[in-house]
Amino acid sequence: MGAAREGRVLHLPVLRASTRVRTPRAPRTHHVTTHITVDVDDEAGTAAARSYVTVFQALPDFPPQPVAAGRYRDRFARRDEQWRFTERQVRIHLVGDVSRHLRA
């Protein structure tokens, strides 16, 4: 679903252009991440994670409900003793009523 993108700078314009913002800087959604599995390679200073995500949305005239579900695949690197995201793949498998979450 969509082209591959890299880096924070490339993601922000896409998210801002496609997401409806209801309150200052918030689309009124909650992303629930479950079944998280992390594989760490301490020697290489890298890690990979897999998880499921369900996106819920609620508005005054839109009862709380799931609007999307899918998977995250993440990669991390340890730099200066801190773990940092290096990659996130998002695969959305189920889509509900996103009419109030995404722009047409």
Side-chain angles (χ1 to χ4, degrees), residues 19-96:
T19 305
R20 293 178 187 267
V21 177
R22 300 293 177 180
T23 59
R25 304 177 61 92
R28 303 288 298 259
T29 60
H30 185 81
H31 295 226
V32 178
T33 306
T34 60
H35 300 326
I36 302 166
T37 303
V38 180
D39 299 311
V40 177
D41 183 338
D42 274 324
E43 191 172 307
T46 60
R50 303 175 303 282
S51 58
Y52 289 96
V53 61
T54 304
V55 181
F56 291 88
Q57 185 172 35
L59 298 165
D61 63 342
F62 191 74
Q65 60 189 280
V67 295
R71 297 204 53 149
Y72 290 150
R73 292 193 182 273
D74 300 319
R75 294 197 179 279
F76 306 89
R78 188 174 51 227
R79 295 190 183 116
D80 299 323
E81 300 305 313
Q82 294 186 348
W83 289 99
R84 305 280 187 193
F85 273 95
T86 59
E87 180 182 2
R88 168 162 275 181
Q89 295 178 1
V90 180
R91 300 281 185 250
I92 299 299
H93 302 289
L94 299 171
V95 178

